[in-house]
Amino acid sequence: SLSMLSWIRFRLPFETEKGINLFGCIQPLTLFFHPDDDNVYDDRLFAEILTVRNIGVWPVGYSGQRRAEFPYIKNGRVTGFNSYLAYLRRFPMDMASFAINIKYFLREVPLLFDPKAPPVFGETMLLESTGESWDTLEPKAANCSQVLVWHIQVVKPIIKPGYDRGNHIAEV
């Protein structure tokens, strides 16, 4: 149950909030990506981000009690997710696993972060507010077969048996 989770409430750092307020001054082809200090990034990820037209997605290593969380891809389209609590969330993704075109923040009803979102639901609520569906997400990182971002922590991640659903990630 969610009440048993030891997750920290979804929060947006002050600096990022200030940055979002400046979006009106930015070109419409600009992308929003929220890097975090508990992640490490392969340089290739940033080249992938530059190719996003609307919402780009990719795997994240050592996330949600799995070796990796990632979208399932069939014929170049997202068909589901290998992710913690995927059955409860429409977009069960980590903040480090997607980038969004700035146009979503500049609409008449802008895209906003909900600081009151329940644990692990902040990303889902943000992506739901775009009005997009799974089939419009753009798989990046070689059709989501490469891990180019990893969670790093000073503690060993807990990988529970049965949470890793096969060897779907080709390159780590």
Side-chain angles (χ1 to χ4, degrees), residues 6-12 114-122 125:
S6 61
W7 294 70
I8 298 173
R9 184 174 282 287
F10 181 82
R11 291 183 302 209
L12 187 63
D114 184 353
K116 296 178 184 171
V120 307
F121 281 86
M125 293 172 73

Side-chain angles (χ1 to χ4, degrees), residues 5 9 23 61 72 83 103 122 131 153:
L5 292 175
R9 184 174 282 287
F23 283 171
Y72 291 117
S83 184
K103 70 182 178 184
Q153 297 179 2

